[in-house]
């Protein structure tokens, strides 16, 4: 996992990760870089264009509020995520609206299944599987 750190603005670094997303039906894959690891988000969110690249159609609509905004309907998809050498099958992923300024997010539904150890801004996190 890498860190995004703006030295000019001295912002707290945010952990980010690269994720390979797979459509379980077709096997199509899409690399999604710079997914924010967000322990405050209940679910994973991806940009609509990244989901569209997989050739998926909306499985269902779920309602959620993003960053304290109003509750809105979002397309939700069952996808497979590969992150840090571990595969998460059939994760519900919500599609960000095209106009959203928020980027892709890894939510608690995935990161709660991992043991993340803080190693500092230059070395990121050490990641290990949690025992099931």
């Amino acid at each position: 996992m890498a860190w995004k750190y703006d030295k000019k603005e001295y912002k707290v670094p945010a952990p980010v990760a690269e994720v390979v997303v797979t459509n379980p039906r077709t096997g199509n894959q899409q690399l999604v870089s710079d997914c924010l690891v967000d322990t405050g988000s209940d679910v994973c969110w991806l940009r609509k264009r990244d989901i569209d690249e997989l050739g998926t159609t909306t499985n269902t609509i779920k309602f959620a509020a993003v960053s304290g905004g109003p509750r809105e309907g979002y397309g939700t998809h069952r996808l497979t995520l590969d992150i840090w050498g571990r595969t998460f099958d059939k994760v519900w992923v919500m599609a960000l609206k095209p106009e959203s300024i928020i980027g892709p997010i890894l939510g608690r539904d995935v990161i709660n299944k991992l043991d993340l150890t803080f190693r500092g801004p230059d070395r990121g996190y050490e990641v290990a599987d949690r025992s099931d």
Side-chain angles (χ1 to χ4, degrees), residues 24-39:
R25 291 184 184 163
T26 65
N28 290 346
Q29 292 187 327
Q30 176 72 12
L31 174 66
V32 180
S33 298
D34 295 332
C35 290
L36 177 67
V37 179
D38 185 358
T39 58

Side-chain angles (χ1 to χ4, degrees), residues 41-45 61-76 93-97 102:
S41 179
D42 293 330
V43 298
C44 295
W45 295 79
I61 300 290
K62 292 191 178 182
F63 289 87
V66 177
S67 296
R71 284 177 51 85
E72 296 183 68
Y74 293 87
T76 307
V93 175
M94 297 184 81
L96 291 163
K97 298 197 182 244
I102 298 170

Side-chain angles (χ1 to χ4, degrees), residues 36-108:
L36 177 67
V37 179
D38 185 358
T39 58
S41 179
D42 293 330
V43 298
C44 295
W45 295 79
L46 295 178
R47 291 177 295 249
K48 186 176 182 316
R49 72 173 182 262
D50 292 324
I51 292 173
D52 290 346
E53 289 282 325
L54 296 171
T56 65
T57 56
T58 301
N59 290 331
T60 187
I61 300 290
K62 292 191 178 182
F63 289 87
V66 177
S67 296
R71 284 177 51 85
E72 296 183 68
Y74 293 87
T76 307
H77 309 266
R78 280 272 208 197
L79 301 172
T80 298
L81 307 182
D82 290 314
I83 175 172
W84 303 305
R86 182 160 175 190
T87 300
F88 300 92
D89 287 318
K90 299 178 183 174
V91 175
W92 282 109
V93 175
M94 297 184 81
L96 291 163
K97 298 197 182 244
E99 68 274 13
S100 176
I101 61 170
I102 298 170
I105 292 172
L106 290 181
R108 288 190 303 238

Side-chain angles (χ1 to χ4, degrees), residues 83-88 113-115 127-132:
I83 175 172
W84 303 305
R86 182 160 175 190
T87 300
F88 300 92
K113 297 175 184 176
L114 293 166
D115 188 11
V127 181
D129 289 345
R130 273 196 185 160
S131 57
D132 293 330

